[in-house]
Amino acid sequence: MFFVDTIEVSGLGNRSYLAGGERSAVAVDPPRDVDQVIAAAARRGVRIAYVVETHVHNDYVTGGLELARVTGAAYLVPAAARVSFERVPVHDGDRAEVDAGAGLAVRALATPGHTPHHTSYVLEENGTAVAVFTGGSLLIGSVGRPDLVEPRLTEHLARAQHASAHRLAAELPDETAVLPTHGFGSFCSSSQAAGSDTTIGKEKASNEALTRDVDTFVADLLAGLDDIPAYYTHMGPANAAGPAPVDLTPPAVADADEIAARLAAGEWVVDLRNRVAFAEGHVAGSFNFEAEGQLATYLAWLIPWGKPVTLLAESPEQLAAAQRELVRVGIDRPAAAATGGPAGWVREGEVPASFPRGTFADLAERIADVVVLDVRRASERAGGFVEGSVHIPVHALHRRLDEVPDGEVWVHCAGGMRAAVAASLLDAAGRDVVALDDSFDMAERAGLTVRTP
């Protein structure tokens, strides 16, 4: 008998896995905060014998090196990956016995495409494939994007993705479970998963990498690639160098005077509360990145790399969860933090700032008199946009604030979260802003003219 436990890293849209028998297990693509992997092993009563990486990750800082150090596990990394630490180099066809009593082993299968050295791991029970950890190779209905390593390699890697998908399909039984790391919201995926589980047989029937010829597949894949989060530039080097252990102890506490001083120094003060609470009252100059949204992805994407950040949270629990999210993308220690609410974060004699929220129906009544700012990605806007709207993706807005026309700005995205981020940036810059907290699907129903390019 064997088990496979999924460890969700939902904020980044990834999954990690722990698989094994009664005595020992293998951890696959672990997140930086390894305590949850250790806890999963403890619940199973197993020893982590191996930690394996499918590739040097571009979207998060791995916990693999630290997990191997803490547990004494062998650390398996593709041999062609250029890293600066001791590891067990893995070549195509290598096998590692995970649990002899259960007849469990993992077999390396070279699947280049997401990166040149990408390797999948087939979980075998008594020599029969039962699952395959595909990392950023074959995903649910998609594949990992091939453009994160080097622009000149993108087409070559896209073709390699096609070949690797076909290798997996040809060598593994149809009933083999496909267990990818990416595809659940991660920008490492070329598109997002349409379900939560799949098999080789299901992918043969539906995955375009397996149903289209290579030229058509590559052309469509390259045409559909979206923006790359800016912080990805820093993830590969951090992983290749060997990430340091994390420190999740509470940051130094900032009072109202220190918060004001940090803002005056040009540092980032980030309010983690939900967008409704932020709009109703916040520290002037602070930015709103909801803890419940894709906090790590969007904060790491927007903030100038290495700039000090102070976190404002409604509770110690919210602060701790945010710290955990942020270490996964290399934002290791907040400069300071405070919990509570804006009444305690502003200096005596000052009052919290605020701005209004609205819907597309409200916008329809004011459309002739205001600036409409669309902060979605270009791929989303291609599906339709409000006539006359200005387009600046949220991840570029902080560098392009001077491009927003004069007047009251009504800002929208697809659902409200990114509009709230953008509204906070505009509000901090002294602009009159209204955040649309509404689904873009409502725009046309509200009577607004929606165009397509």
Side-chain angles (χ1 to χ4, degrees), residues 357-360 362-363 372 410-413 415-416 419 434-438:
R357 297 162 53 247
T359 65
F360 282 104
D362 298 325
L363 174 60
V372 181
W410 289 55
V411 58
H412 80 84
C413 59
V434 178
L436 293 186
D437 197 352
D438 201 359

Side-chain angles (χ1 to χ4, degrees), residues 181-258:
T181 300
H182 304 313
F184 311 95
S186 168
F187 283 86
C188 268
S189 173
S190 59
S191 63
Q192 298 309 317
S196 59
D197 59 83
T198 192
T199 63
I200 289 291
K202 290 179 181 177
E203 292 308 305
K204 282 182 178 180
S206 61
N207 194 307
E208 292 184 352
L210 297 171
T211 61
R212 293 188 168 193
D213 67 89
V214 62
D215 290 333
T216 303
F217 167 76
V218 168
D220 288 349
L221 176 62
L222 298 184
L225 292 174
D226 214 332
D227 299 321
I228 300 173
Y231 72 92
Y232 277 25
T233 302
H234 306 280
M235 299 298 95
N239 288 323
V246 300
D247 179 3
L248 293 174
T249 58
V253 177
D255 60 16
D257 287 333
E258 182 175 350

Side-chain angles (χ1 to χ4, degrees), residues 9-101:
V9 190
S10 56
L12 294 178
N14 286 329
R15 288 177 174 176
S16 177
Y17 301 94
L18 182 74
E22 291 185 356
R23 289 189 173 87
S24 53
V26 55
V28 182
D29 288 346
R32 181 114 182 259
D33 47 325
V34 300
D35 55 338
Q36 58 182 325
V37 184
I38 294 170
R43 286 192 294 270
R44 289 285 186 177
V46 296
R47 175 180 64 90
I48 299 176
Y50 294 96
V51 177
V52 302
E53 301 283 7
T54 57
H55 60 293
V56 175
H57 302 283
N58 292 294
D59 66 326
Y60 69 92
V61 181
T62 182
L65 183 63
E66 176 66 3
L67 182 60
R69 185 189 69 79
V70 170
T71 63
Y75 190 27
L76 278 56
V77 178
R82 296 179 179 178
V83 296
S84 303
F85 48 82
E86 292 294 321
R87 88 287 192 203
V88 178
V90 175
H91 300 85
D92 186 42
D94 287 353
R95 292 180 82 256
E97 189 173 73
V98 175
D99 190 307

Side-chain angles (χ1 to χ4, degrees), residues 50-366:
Y50 294 96
V51 177
V52 302
E53 301 283 7
T54 57
H55 60 293
V56 175
H57 302 283
N58 292 294
D59 66 326
Y60 69 92
V61 181
T62 182
L65 183 63
E66 176 66 3
L67 182 60
R69 185 189 69 79
V70 170
T71 63
Y75 190 27
L76 278 56
V77 178
R82 296 179 179 178
V83 296
S84 303
F85 48 82
E86 292 294 321
R87 88 287 192 203
V88 178
V90 175
H91 300 85
D92 186 42
D94 287 353
R95 292 180 82 256
E97 189 173 73
V98 175
D99 190 307
L104 286 181
V106 288
R107 174 169 57 90
L109 200 158
T111 48
H114 186 49
T115 66
H117 60 265
H118 191 283
T119 300
S120 297
Y121 297 88
V122 182
L123 182 66
E124 298 177 336
E125 184 181 36
N126 298 318
T128 299
V130 291
V132 57
F133 302 104
T134 55
S137 182
L138 187 66
L139 311 184
I140 300 179
S142 184
V143 294
R145 59 194 297 171
D147 61 330
L148 302 180
V149 177
E150 156 63 55
R152 291 171 293 182
L153 293 178
T154 296
E155 182 174 348
H156 168 75
L157 290 176
R159 291 181 178 276
Q161 279 290 50
H162 187 270
S164 291
H166 280 262
R167 183 185 184 190
L168 289 163
E171 295 190 15
L172 300 176
D174 283 358
E175 59 271 21
T176 307
V178 176
L179 304 173
T181 300
H182 304 313
F184 311 95
S186 168
F187 283 86
C188 268
S189 173
S190 59
S191 63
Q192 298 309 317
S196 59
D197 59 83
T198 192
T199 63
I200 289 291
K202 290 179 181 177
E203 292 308 305
K204 282 182 178 180
S206 61
N207 194 307
E208 292 184 352
L210 297 171
T211 61
R212 293 188 168 193
D213 67 89
V214 62
D215 290 333
T216 303
F217 167 76
V218 168
D220 288 349
L221 176 62
L222 298 184
L225 292 174
D226 214 332
D227 299 321
I228 300 173
Y231 72 92
Y232 277 25
T233 302
H234 306 280
M235 299 298 95
N239 288 323
V246 300
D247 179 3
L248 293 174
T249 58
V253 177
D255 60 16
D257 287 333
E258 182 175 350
I259 292 169
R262 290 188 176 278
L263 282 168
E267 297 181 11
W268 278 38
V269 174
V270 172
D271 191 323
L272 301 168
R273 296 173 303 142
N274 70 68
R275 56 187 180 260
V276 177
F278 182 87
E280 291 176 348
H282 55 269
V283 178
S286 62
F287 303 140
N288 183 212
F289 290 80
E290 291 181 310
E292 293 78 14
Q294 290 181 282
L295 167 66
T297 295
Y298 281 100
L299 179 55
W301 195 341
L302 270 69
I303 191 169
W305 196 251
K307 183 175 281 291
V309 60
T310 295
L311 300 178
L312 306 180
E314 63 185 7
S315 67
E317 293 76 19
Q318 186 180 66
L319 175 61
Q323 281 185 259
R324 183 176 291 271
E325 288 276 337
L326 294 178
V327 297
R328 294 170 180 162
V329 293
I331 301 177
D332 285 4
R333 290 293 295 169
T339 58
W345 301 335
V346 298
R347 292 174 293 188
E348 187 174 351
E350 297 178 341
V351 296
S354 64
F355 54 77
R357 297 162 53 247
T359 65
F360 282 104
D362 298 325
L363 174 60
E365 297 178 0
R366 296 285 313 281

